[in-house]
């Protein structure tokens, strides 16, 4: 049996809700897609006529927005109205690590998910299909179902209970590639118990995704698969980063090692780039959540195994900081460091858990003067990330630059922290003339032409390189 879906409402217009709904709207012109958020400024930015002001930078996103916005894709702060008319509601709200109370520092804070479930319970119609898009601890669907069970058609005593079904449909997009990941996903995962609801969601994806790529399972396997996928990806990064240190000690070269091991089909060539550690809003929080869940079930060995993946990540950032200070005669106080890249990876303006942010904070603590250039992160965001609200004006040691040229003038060192394409082919001859000698290049992403930089008198350190 088929259930026709005409209107979708997505709660949360963030890095996931915005692009995901844009791609659904683009591929399903017959559907009306409404994306709602409590953050009015974010909604206003999504509605900005100037597409360079969209709240999120993703290659290919603004083209879709210009095709669909105000046609079958709408961004609004009117949550109630849009919940009332939707046949299907996606929950795509933030699920950060709890900062207070039981489980603080590990468990996911589900207060935004619970608030969404309560709003659905109150305003949505009976029969609405509720889809978990946020990454959630296993068994969250049970909590959502319990909240929804108490909903009634009206306030009157004899009012009928409203009926909902809950599906899990975790999102696997990675930032910077969000649109291509959504348009051409490796798989779409749907977890649930109700076949009609599963088919209704599947029919939406079938508009552009092949059936073989849509995998259905039970709710708990679906919720858990998302956490486990992120843990395994992060583990690959920590593994290769741990070996980058071994390469440096032994005179080997991590790039060749990655290529050599990646040729083995069982290992695969992707996700083996050594660097300044993983960042982004997902890996750390999802592993912490997994650790919390394992401890809850008494699986101490499993939780300590995953804790190590996080430990290596912090260790990698700290050892890069030590390399910079040690190479620059043991002190960077009052030295100018040009920082290339502030986003947590290339092709995004997202700075959440960015290795660049963590390393920059420590460089500032060491007394360095930083000249930061990132092609997409705004100066306001960089200041917000580096200074807390009280000391926001204490930025004497911070210069935010509009180009690499602007940043390198009189710099003692360049530190490459994000792998933006424009940092891959820098003009080392010109740069060397602008820097103060002895000058250094710290290429934490190993993307530069080291030999050329050296040929122009620049000292080089690159992650995982044991021989220069
Ligand atoms: P985000 O912080 O960018 O967006 C979440 C939005 O939800 C915010 O704009 C917030 O204002 C809004 N919101 C919160 N409570 C609300 C409510 N009650 N009503 C209306 N709006 C509300 O977060 P994100 O990066 O889009 O992540 C969302 C979820 O998707 C998280 O669970 C995350 O783990 C998961 N996820 C993220 C990514 C990624 O690459 N960022 C990838 C896959 C999965
Ligand atoms: C991740 C998951 O990949 C995605 O499936 C999930 O939906 C959300 O979390 P994201 O964090 O956006 O996506 O980007 P990703 O490409 O996974 O990179 C995460 C971090 O790991 C970045 O800081 C990146 O620079 C780093 N990384 C990645 C490496 O250091 N080396 C690599 O080889 C790959």
């Amino acid at each position: 049996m088929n259930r026709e879906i005409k209107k979708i409402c997505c709660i949360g217009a963030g890095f996931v809700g915005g692009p995901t709904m844009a791609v659904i709207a683009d591929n399903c012109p017959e559907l009306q897609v409404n994306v709602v958020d409590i953050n009015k400024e974010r909604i206003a930015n999504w509605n900005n006529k100037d597409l360079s002001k969209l709240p999120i930078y993703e290659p290919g996103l603004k083209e879709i927005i210009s095709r669909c916005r105000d046609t079958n894709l709408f961004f609004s702060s009117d949550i109630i109205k849009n919940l009332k008319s939707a046949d299907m509601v996606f929950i795509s709200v933030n699920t950060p690590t709890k900062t207070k109370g039981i489980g603080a520092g590990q468990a996911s804070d589900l207060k935004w998910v619970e608030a969404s479930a309560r709003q659905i319970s109150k305003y949505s119609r009976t029969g609405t299909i509720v889809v978990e898009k946020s990454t959630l601890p296993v068994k969250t669907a049970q909590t959502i179902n319990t909240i929804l069970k108490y909903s009634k058609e009206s306030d009157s005593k004899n009012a009928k209970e409203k009926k909902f079904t809950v599906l899990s449909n975790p999102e696997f997009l990675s930032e910077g590639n969000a649109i291509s990941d959504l348009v051409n996903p490796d798989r779409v995962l749907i977890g649930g118990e109700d076949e009609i609801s599963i088919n209704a969601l599947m029919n939406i994806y079938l508009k552009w995704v092949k059936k073989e790529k849509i995998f259905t399972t039970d709710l708990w396997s679906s919720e858990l698969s998302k956490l486990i996928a992120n843990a395994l990806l992060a583990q690959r990064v920590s593994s290769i980063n741990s070996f980058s240190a071994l390469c440096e000690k032994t005179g080997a070269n991590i790039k060749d090692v990655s290529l050599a091991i990646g040729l083995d089909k069982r290992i695969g060539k992707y996700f083996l780039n050594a660097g300044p550690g993983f960042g982004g809003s997902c890996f750390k929080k999802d592993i912490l959540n997994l650790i919390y869940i394992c401890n809850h079930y008494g699986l101490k060995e499993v939780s300590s195994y995953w804790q190590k993946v996080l430990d290596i990540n912090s260790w990698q950032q700290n050892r890069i900081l030590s390399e910079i200070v040690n190479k620059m005669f043991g002190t960077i106080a009052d030295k100018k460091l040009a920082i290339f890249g502030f986003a947590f990876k290339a092709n995004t303006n997202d700075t959440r858990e960015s290795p660049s942010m963590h390393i920059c904070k420590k460089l500032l603590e060491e007394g360095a003067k930083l000249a930061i250039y990132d092609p997409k992160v705004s100066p306001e965001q960089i200041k917000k990330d580096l200074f807390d609200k009280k000391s926001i004006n204490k930025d004497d040691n911070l210069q935010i630059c509009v180009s690499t040229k602007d940043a390198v003038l009189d710099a003692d060192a360049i530190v490459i922290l994000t792998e933006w394409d424009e940092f891959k082919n820098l003009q080392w001859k010109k740069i060397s003339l602008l820097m103060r000698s002895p000058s250094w290049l710290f290429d934490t992403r190993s993307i530069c032409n080291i030999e050329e930089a050296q040929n122009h008198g620049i000292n080089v350190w690159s992650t995982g390189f044991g021989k220069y």
Side-chain angles (χ1 to χ4, degrees), residues 1-19:
M1 224 173 95
N2 273 343
R3 162 96 200 272
E4 199 193 352
I5 304 295
K6 289 185 181 151
K7 275 192 188 176
I8 285 180
C9 174
C10 174
I11 309 180
F15 283 84
V16 170

Side-chain angles (χ1 to χ4, degrees), residues 137-150:
V138 59
K139 305 245 160 163
T140 304
Q142 206 167 37
T143 311
I144 297 177
N145 253 322
T146 308
I147 293 169
L148 296 177
K149 232 171 68 187
Y150 289 92

Side-chain angles (χ1 to χ4, degrees), residues 95-142:
T95 51
T97 305
K98 270 182 94 171
T99 52
K100 287 191 277 211
I102 297 168
Q106 276 186 349
S108 290
D109 193 339
L110 296 180
K111 75 175 176 211
W112 293 276
V113 174
E114 186 176 331
S116 304
R118 286 183 191 278
Q119 281 177 308
I120 295 168
S121 161
K122 192 162 177 194
Y123 300 111
S124 292
R125 298 184 304 227
T126 189
T128 301
I129 301 168
V130 180
V131 184
E132 297 174 341
K133 188 47 105 181
S134 296
T135 304
L136 299 167
V138 59
K139 305 245 160 163
T140 304
Q142 206 167 37

Side-chain angles (χ1 to χ4, degrees), residues 14-16 37 42 93-95 112 135 171 175 285 352:
F15 283 84
V16 170
D37 205 296
R42 212 166 209 187
V93 298
N94 36 321
T95 51
W112 293 276
T135 304
E171 186 47 62
E175 289 180 31
K285 109 171 143 65
R352 291 177 290 179

Side-chain angles (χ1 to χ4, degrees), residues 52-113:
S52 69
K53 300 263 163 50
L54 292 180
I56 289 166
Y57 171 73
E58 277 291 340
L61 176 64
K62 67 174 191 294
E63 289 77 3
I64 299 184
I65 297 294
S66 75
R67 279 199 293 275
C68 301
R69 196 176 56 191
D70 299 332
T71 304
N72 69 330
L73 174 67
F74 301 88
F75 293 93
S76 160
S77 323
D78 194 340
I79 301 171
I80 298 174
K81 183 186 104 190
N82 286 299
L83 281 180
K84 279 184 174 169
S85 65
D87 306 301
M88 182 179 271
V89 178
F90 286 79
I91 301 179
S92 187
V93 298
N94 36 321
T95 51
T97 305
K98 270 182 94 171
T99 52
K100 287 191 277 211
I102 297 168
Q106 276 186 349
S108 290
D109 193 339
L110 296 180
K111 75 175 176 211
W112 293 276
V113 174

